[in-house]
Amino acid sequence: GVAWAYKALGAILAGKPEDAARFAIGAHKLAGDDEYQTCQALWLQGWAALRSGETSQLISSESLLNDALSRAGNRSLSDIECSTLLALAELELHRASWAPALDQCKEALFVSVRCEYRLHAAEAHNLMSRILAAQRRFSDARTEAAAALESATCDGPPYCYLAAFTEANDLIQQFGV
């Protein structure tokens, strides 16, 4: 199931949500009694459904993500909990539900700071920056982008979380900081 989960993640990041959904379903079938793999597969299925861009998939996405979040929270699977909270925040952003999106990001940030997951923290700050920008709260968005840059920097280039580092730099340039 692990290989299928990695294939699903790769397909999501490559912009191929249909392939990702197929791989995530395969990962879920192969997870068996392994709760970590089950939670990961549910998160990936939910994220793939969200990334499909189809309105009809949003309900499925929300259900899968909430199931993953509940299971991850009950079993202290903090990395999956963070990833799932961020996916739920993206779902709320897609719906233009600003307050719930920010709440999900803040919760993901809390978990990431508690567990010292700098990469998740960088992703949470970047997503909060995009949400605040969508609300036209550009000063707050700049602050979050700067926090994302700090979290993503780690030991500095080339030793950084490049995807979040690049996004944070782009957001900062977009806001004229």
Side-chain angles (χ1 to χ4, degrees):
V2 174
W4 284 84
Y6 279 113
K7 287 177 135 186
L9 181 58
I12 290 171
L13 297 175
K16 299 177 181 177
E18 295 81 18
D19 291 342
R22 189 176 75 250
F23 294 137
I25 290 168
H28 196 184
K29 287 178 182 175
L30 294 171
D33 292 336
D34 187 315
E35 199 58 37
Y36 183 89
Q37 288 184 28
T38 299
C39 288
Q40 184 181 46
L42 288 167
W43 159 61
L44 290 166
Q45 283 179 270
W47 199 20
L50 173 61
R51 290 290 174 101
S52 74
E54 297 176 20
T55 305
S56 63
Q57 293 291 318
L58 295 182
I59 293 172
S60 172
S61 174
E62 185 173 29
S63 175
L64 290 161
L65 292 170
N66 281 326
D67 191 9
L69 182 62
S70 175
R71 288 171 176 249
N74 289 338
R75 287 156 186 85
S76 298
L77 303 175
S78 301
D79 60 329
I80 295 175
E81 185 178 6
C82 279
S83 296
T84 304
L85 285 163
L86 292 171
L88 283 165
E90 275 189 46
L91 176 65
E92 297 299 343
L93 175 60
H94 182 78
R95 293 175 171 162
S97 299
W98 313 127
L102 286 171
D103 288 345
Q104 299 286 7
C105 281
K106 288 175 185 174
E107 191 172 344
L109 187 58
F110 174 78
V111 173
S112 68
V113 169
R114 183 187 75 220
C115 298
E116 297 183 11
Y117 292 148
R118 291 182 65 122
L119 309 183
H120 284 96
E123 289 177 4
H125 284 298
N126 275 334
L127 185 52
M128 285 181 20
S129 179
R130 292 195 330 251
I131 294 165
L132 292 165
Q135 292 180 285
R136 308 193 63 72
R137 294 172 52 192
F138 297 115
S139 177
D140 293 335
R142 278 191 285 280
T143 301
E144 290 302 328
L149 186 63
E150 181 181 337
S151 291
T153 299
C154 301
D155 293 332
Y159 307 104
C160 63
Y161 177 30
L162 190 57
F165 185 84
T166 301
E167 181 179 0
N169 269 322
D170 291 347
L171 288 168
I172 288 170
Q173 287 181 356
Q174 178 183 342
F175 303 132
V177 175

